[in-house]
Amino acid sequence: MQMKVVKFGGSSLANAEQFKKVAEIVKADPSRHYVVASAPGKRDRSDTKVTDMLYRCYEMVREHEDITDYFSQIAERYNSIIRELGLRFDISGELEYIRNAILHHSGRDFAASRGEYLNSLILAKYLGFDFIDAESVVFFRENGSFDEEKTNVAMSAELALHSYAVIPGFYGVMPNGTIKTFSRGGSDITGSIVARAAEATLYENWTDVSGFLMADPRIVSNPLPIRTVTYRELRELSYMGATVLHEDAIFPVRNAGIPINIRNTNEPDAPGTMIVSTANSYDPNTVITGIAGKKGLSVITIEKDLMNAEIGFGRRVLEVLEEHDISFEHLPSGVDTMSVVISTSSLDPIRERVLNAINRSVRPDSLSAEDGLALLAVVGRGMVKAKGTAARVCNAISSAGVNIRMIDQGSSELNIIVGVEEADLERAMQAVYSEFVG
Ligand code: ASP
């Protein structure tokens, strides 16, 4: 039996017209039992998300500014949705309560969470579904981390009482009863949590794009959509900057083996992208799944004769980074050289201190830090079986006249990472795309 959990993002629920599309989607398939909703997003480019407006209200109160007018704009966003949907639903009491709570310093997260709360109340009413407040089923621990097991038990028990329900995304509750939110975009995580608790057969994540594209459309014109991507490939791609889904949304469903289908509310017939644990179907023509790029990186290069024989060398270098709270991105190394790729923004403010500390710790023959590096990740589960992929990537990049500064193939043969000058990233990406896709 099919059981689907569907999550709609802010742009899918930005106004009454979007609510109608959402209802059509939900009602088209009776196996869509549980709906997770975001707060109203932008209606057009110049619009402001309700979540951002709520954060602003919170700040205004802190600065002793009057929120009356600004809060009425938020109220009007919800009231216009209710009016245009023709609903008989009075939320003035809720709005008044929220306004007072914000005025009485109920907390930044509480303020932000009300965007999802109100939108979900309205959506539940419109769909004729039950409403389950996330506050009673999503739990955080004292230290602020998400309590997955406690949540799963409570969520499963609550869902069992409702065949059809709407649950607000983005927030849960702390042990002391105060509201806490996930990081921005966190409704994706709630959707994943609900899918796990419902033992869903599919988690549909409805947004405003028809899934992932093979490359950044600002760089490669009309890239093909990705039909199927594995969780591991997605981690590689999103780490490198391809964002459609909140990173942390992957874990609850991945562990439970539930696929995620990214769909477009404005193009409901498009199949979107399926995110799965293992893709059995291997198409020999699609060696690569996607290409992503990341700028703003620096490389620290350390050289020392006989480095390879010096036990603990790497550890000492990494210890210095740890002491300075810097995480490294890559570690391509040679026999007597070690390079550490890190983000320039983490190195910049403490550059001298870090280099001096490495000098003291490992006494290298030479040590340098260079900025302006970009990484290009060519990701694909098909690489394991295809011979010569690395050669094709390198040839394509060199033929485009781009110098390769570094190359690193993960031992899982899931990705090839190529380091190039920042200014060359676009050209390298276009070249690799044409080589593999045409
Ligand atoms: N409304 C929240 C945000 O804007 C959470 C979400 O939409 O997922 O970040």
Side-chain angles (χ1 to χ4, degrees):
M1 209 181 66
Q2 290 276 320
M3 147 69 77
K4 294 179 188 158
V5 168
V6 289
K7 179 260 167 177
F8 289 91
S11 55
S12 302
L13 292 164
N15 57 24
E17 200 191 320
Q18 293 299 87
F19 263 68
K20 288 179 188 163
K21 293 183 193 168
V22 165
E24 225 168 89
I25 291 166
V26 174
K27 294 292 166 99
D29 180 350
S31 68
R32 292 182 174 130
H33 283 264
Y34 302 114
V35 181
V36 173
S38 279
K42 293 185 181 194
R43 292 161 294 187
D44 53 62
R45 271 172 176 275
S46 60
D47 202 11
T48 309
K49 286 178 165 195
V50 165
T51 309
D52 290 313
M53 297 177 85
L54 288 161
Y55 280 126
R56 174 93 190 97
C57 270
Y58 167 82
E59 295 300 338
M60 287 169 83
V61 171
R62 270 171 47 119
E63 307 203 330
H64 308 289
E65 285 175 46
D66 180 8
I67 64 166
T68 316
D69 288 348
Y70 199 65
F71 192 82
S72 352
Q73 290 178 36
I74 298 176
E76 181 47 25
R77 289 224 38 191
Y78 290 106
N79 283 324
S80 66
I81 292 173
I82 294 173
R83 239 183 359 255
E84 288 166 33
L85 291 177
L87 283 177
R88 286 168 64 91
F89 190 32
D90 182 4
I91 59 161
S92 53
E94 293 281 354
L95 288 166
E96 193 47 28
Y97 177 85
I98 292 168
R99 197 174 68 96
N100 274 319
I102 295 176
L103 281 173
H104 292 99
H105 307 281
S106 51
R108 187 170 187 269
D109 283 13
F110 171 83
S113 73
R114 296 305 90 183
E116 272 61 19
Y117 171 80
L118 289 169
N119 228 19
S120 301
L121 277 180
I122 299 171
L123 185 60
K125 182 85 178 170
Y126 186 50
L127 293 173
F129 282 17
D130 295 343
F131 170 78
I132 301 175
D133 195 345
E135 184 182 331
S136 60
V137 281
V138 176
F139 300 99
F140 291 92
R141 300 189 190 89
E142 202 71 67
N143 66 5
S145 62
F146 168 56
D147 192 336
E148 184 159 0
E149 289 320 309
K150 183 173 175 191
T151 298
N152 195 45
V153 171
M155 181 76 83
S156 311
E158 187 62 35
L159 294 178
L161 305 174
H162 310 266
S163 331
Y164 291 96
V166 178
I167 303 117
F170 193 35
Y171 70 93
V173 71
M174 291 289 287
N176 67 3
T178 56
I179 295 290
K180 176 170 168 56
T181 66
F182 291 107
S183 57
R184 294 301 303 268
S187 299
D188 284 341
I189 308 174
T190 311
S192 184
I193 293 165
V194 175
R196 176 187 169 203
E199 295 179 17
T201 49
L202 184 65
Y203 169 24
E204 287 179 347
N205 188 297
W206 291 81
T207 171
D208 54 4
V209 290
S210 298
F212 291 92
L213 298 172
M214 286 190 72
D216 186 336
R218 288 165 302 186
I219 300 173
V220 170
S221 67
N222 290 322
L224 291 176
I226 300 179
R227 291 295 296 274
T228 309
V229 61
T230 64
Y231 286 115
R232 287 183 51 213
E233 287 174 316
L234 185 63
R235 280 283 294 158
E236 299 287 343
L237 288 169
S238 47
Y239 159 75
M240 293 288 291
T243 48
V244 171
L245 187 72
H246 193 297
E247 272 203 305
D248 296 344
I250 289 177
F251 300 106
V253 282
R254 181 178 73 182
N255 297 340
I258 302 166
I260 307 177
N261 190 193
I262 306 286
R263 300 283 294 268
N264 187 349
T265 303
N266 305 319
E267 209 190 329
D269 295 330
T273 299
M274 273 300 242
I275 310 170
V276 296
S277 320
T278 47
N280 296 328
S281 63
Y282 165 67
D283 174 357
N285 297 320
T286 54
V287 177
I288 66 165
T289 304
I291 310 168
K294 193 173 187 170
K295 290 186 177 180
L297 298 165
S298 300
V299 55
I300 299 180
T301 306
I302 308 155
E303 290 181 6
K304 186 172 187 184
D305 280 346
L306 300 176
M307 175 192 291
N308 66 328
E310 194 175 320
I311 291 179
F313 189 94
R315 179 182 52 74
R316 288 202 295 279
V317 172
L318 296 182
E319 233 165 43
V320 171
L321 297 183
E322 188 179 350
E323 279 157 15
H324 291 83
D325 222 14
I326 294 179
S327 72
F328 71 89
E329 315 263 334
H330 278 278
L331 209 59
S333 299
V335 180
D336 287 335
T337 63
M338 175 173 173
S339 307
V340 191
V341 178
I342 57 186
S343 76
T344 308
S345 59
S346 66
L347 177 65
D348 232 7
I350 46 174
R351 186 179 297 256
E352 287 312 309
R353 275 202 347 247
V354 172
L355 295 181
N356 288 340
I358 294 178
N359 247 328
R360 277 196 306 276
S361 175
V362 295
R363 303 248 160 254
D365 297 335
S366 79
L367 174 67
S368 62
E370 263 181 88
D371 300 338
L373 181 76
L375 294 182
L376 179 77
V378 185
V379 177
R381 56 188 181 275
M383 280 184 201
V384 186
K385 303 204 184 133
K387 286 196 184 67
T389 310
R392 284 176 71 189
V393 168
C394 292
N395 277 337
I397 296 177
S398 315
S399 308
V402 171
N403 180 36
I404 296 178
R405 282 180 52 182
M406 169 201 121
I407 173 155
D408 191 3
Q409 171 158 32
S411 44
S412 57
E413 283 195 61
L414 190 67
N415 61 355
I416 294 171
I417 309 259
V418 182
V420 297
E421 298 285 340
E422 263 178 0
D424 289 334
L425 179 66
E426 282 80 5
R427 242 184 324 147
M429 190 180 274
Q430 283 155 356
V432 174
Y433 186 84
S434 319
E435 166 66 26
F436 288 92
V437 187

